[in-house]
């Protein structure tokens, strides 16, 4: 398989943006697509550096794209760039022009860890027409509760969301977004996991109750907020994705 570390110009952000990609070799396109999102302290190289991603992808007709979004919380930031516009509109559009990838919803997935788990569910809840499945590992999912419970997050959240009042009820408030969806809507399947010793475990446990009405899988096993847990999640993610494709066949 081919590993690419590149940049693209973003009109939404007004700058070049880094991204990494893993592309199949010897496979016939168009390739299925997975957007794999990084966490708060990482960048677009993190999944390549810290996991066996390329090994797990062997034999799969799957292209994986990992964008750099800095400390944006995948938002059109109040004090910063329009990262939501970039990740939800511009990045996919440009990838489809550059690479031989599928434009079918049933062949498009998104996943991420921590802040990226939030980003993956944010995309899966706000852009359900784009994805067959969305997965969160150790996600910072209820950002309203996190902000109200941890003043150390003020700078990041202030820059991304402005204030708790601006955040609550917006597209960045995943609890509100999920509660406004209907089981009769065409939605992706959702996969949520968290380590039982993770500092975000209570946030995940409460958020799973919001997601319970949907096509939703929740898993909890021993682990903390680290790469040992997230590396072990990747094969489980691909198994879950295979199950969705089997259901669609």
């Amino acid at each position: 398989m081919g590993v690419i570390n590149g940049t693209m110009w973003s009109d939404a952000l007004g700058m070049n943006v880094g991204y990494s990609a893993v592309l199949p070799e010897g496979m016939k396109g168009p390739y299925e697509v997975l957007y794999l999102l990084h966490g708060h302290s990482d960048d677009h190289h993190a999944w390549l550096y810290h996991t066996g991603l390329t090994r797990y992808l062997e034999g799969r007709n799957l292209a994986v794209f990992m964008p750099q979004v800095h400390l944006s919380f995948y938002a059109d930031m109040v004090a910063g760039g329009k990262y939501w516009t970039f990740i939800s509109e511009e990045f996919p559009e440009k990838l489809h022009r550059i690479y031989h990838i599928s434009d079918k919803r049933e062949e498009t997935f998104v996943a991420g860890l921590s802040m990226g788990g939030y980003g993956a569910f944010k995309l899966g809840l706000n852009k359900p027409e784009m994805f067959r499945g969305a997965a969160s590992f150790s996600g910072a999912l209820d950002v309203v509760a996190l902000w109200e419970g941890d003043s150390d997050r003020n700078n990041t959240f202030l820059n991304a969301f402005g204030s708790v009042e601006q955040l609550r009820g917006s597209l960045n408030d995943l609890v509100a977004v999920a509660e406004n969806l209907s089981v009769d809507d065409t939605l992706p399947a959702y996969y949520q996991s968290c380590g039982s010793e993770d500092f975000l475990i209570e946030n995940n446990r409460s958020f799973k109750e919001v997601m319970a009405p949907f096509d939703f899988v929740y898993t909890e096993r021993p682990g903390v907020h680290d790469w040992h847990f997230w590396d072990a999640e990747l094969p489980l993610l691909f198994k879950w994705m295979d199950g969705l494709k089997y259901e669609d066949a």
Side-chain angles (χ1 to χ4, degrees):
M1 63 194 64
V3 176
I4 296 171
N5 288 300
T7 61
M8 67 169 61
W9 174 260
S10 167
D11 293 321
L13 297 170
M15 64 181 183
N16 280 316
V17 180
Y19 72 97
S20 296
V22 182
L23 302 176
E25 288 186 5
M27 300 284 184
K28 183 179 179 180
Y31 310 124
E32 298 171 8
V33 181
L34 171 65
Y35 299 96
L36 193 56
L37 309 182
H38 70 76
H40 182 269
S41 59
D42 295 316
D43 62 19
H44 56 294
H45 299 115
W47 284 104
L48 290 172
Y49 289 163
H50 298 296
T51 74
L53 175 63
T54 55
R55 186 173 72 255
Y56 304 142
L57 289 172
E58 290 179 1
R60 291 185 171 273
N61 194 36
L62 178 68
V64 180
F65 298 98
M66 297 158 278
Q68 164 70 288
V69 302
H70 303 101
L71 301 180
S72 67
F73 262 83
Y74 299 86
D76 281 352
M77 302 174 71
V78 172
K82 294 184 176 182
Y83 285 91
W84 173 247
T85 300
F86 171 72
I87 195 68
S88 66
E89 299 177 15
E90 187 178 20
F91 189 59
E93 289 171 2
K94 290 197 171 185
L95 292 180
H96 279 92
R97 293 200 295 266
I98 298 170
Y99 297 101
H100 193 200
I101 57 177
S102 176
D103 60 1
K104 296 179 180 179
R105 175 184 182 269
E106 62 267 24
E107 296 180 343
T108 305
F109 303 84
V110 61
L113 68 89
S114 196
M115 183 185 79
Y118 165 84
F121 266 22
K122 184 175 178 179
L123 284 162
L125 290 166
N126 284 287
K127 296 283 186 176
E129 71 281 0
M130 290 177 60
F131 302 101
R132 178 63 183 93
S136 167
F137 314 140
S138 311
L141 297 172
D142 184 350
V143 288
V144 173
L146 287 174
W147 197 351
E148 291 179 332
D150 186 354
S151 61
D152 289 341
R153 299 176 182 271
N154 277 357
N155 287 339
T156 298
F157 285 170
L158 282 169
N159 290 338
F161 307 125
S163 67
V164 174
E165 290 70 28
Q166 288 171 275
L167 169 61
R168 188 178 286 112
S170 71
L171 65 82
N172 299 307
D173 178 357
L174 302 192
V175 172
V177 174
E179 289 177 343
N180 285 322
L181 293 174
S182 167
V183 293
D184 296 325
D185 296 333
T186 300
L187 301 174
Y190 301 95
Y191 174 95
Q192 180 186 342
S193 70
C194 193
S196 55
E197 291 76 49
D198 194 305
F199 74 95
L200 288 173
I201 187 59
E202 294 305 326
N203 194 269
N204 276 260
R205 286 172 177 167
S206 63
F207 194 80
K208 76 173 182 177
E209 303 304 322
V210 180
M211 299 298 294
F214 307 122
D215 182 354
F216 172 66
V217 173
Y218 177 83
T219 65
E220 185 178 310
R221 56 186 176 79
V224 296
H225 204 79
D226 67 8
W227 283 104
H228 295 288
F229 184 86
W230 303 321
D231 180 53
E233 278 297 309
L234 284 177
L236 302 177
L237 169 68
F238 295 136
K239 183 178 181 180
W240 174 74
M241 289 168 55
D242 289 341
L244 297 179
K245 289 183 283 184
Y246 177 80
E247 291 176 6
D248 295 339

